[in-house]
Amino acid sequence: MVEHAKHAELSSTLHDCMVACNHCFDACLKEDDVKMMAECIRLDRECADMCAYLAQAIERNSPFVSQLAKVCAEICEACGNECKKHDHDHCQKCAEACLKCAEACRQVA
């Protein structure tokens, strides 16, 4: 079985996480105290990029999917934990997506 078929559910979860992080990133930039949101913004960017990269790696049957999934899980968890600290709705939704994605990545790693 090719990797992208085997990991279809993970690919969907990665996409959902990437979308949530991109939305959170954009919304955080519009908050009154952007300085307070700096770490959230930085991790949103890291997480969205890593999720997109892992999804691409799965699509091209990369031999490094499990290693990339391990790194992706760590980044998603860090982003989710940071987002949980903020009461904004976009942060809470992002945290949920990130922590779900971290768990899905760990199952592949």
Side-chain angles (χ1 to χ4, degrees):
M1 182 187 297
V2 289
E3 289 298 305
H4 61 271
K6 188 169 100 180
H7 298 307
E9 189 173 329
L10 175 58
S11 291
S12 176
T13 303
L14 288 164
H15 177 75
D16 293 347
C17 186
M18 181 190 69
V19 169
C21 286
N22 282 330
H23 174 71
C24 188
F25 172 86
D26 183 60
C28 284
L29 288 173
K30 295 172 184 159
E31 292 296 339
D32 292 335
D33 189 356
V34 174
K35 262 188 161 170
M36 184 190 78
M37 305 306 295
E39 187 65 6
C40 189
I41 292 166
R42 188 180 73 76
L43 286 170
D44 282 338
R45 187 78 268 126
E46 292 283 333
C47 192
D49 288 351
M50 187 63 213
C51 287
Y53 186 76
L54 178 54
Q56 291 174 20
I58 289 168
E59 287 299 317
R60 66 176 171 263
N61 296 316
S62 169
F64 303 104
V65 167
S66 64
Q67 294 96 319
L68 292 169
K70 181 181 187 298
V71 173
C72 192
E74 292 173 21
I75 295 170
C76 287
E77 185 171 12
C79 188
N81 287 335
E82 177 62 29
C83 284
K84 275 198 309 193
K85 296 177 186 176
H86 305 284
D87 291 332
H88 311 296
D89 188 51
H90 57 86
C91 288
Q92 292 300 310
K93 286 181 177 168
C94 187
E96 186 180 320
C98 288
L99 297 174
K100 179 181 177 186
C101 193
E103 182 57 36
C105 286
R106 280 195 189 89
Q107 292 175 8
V108 172

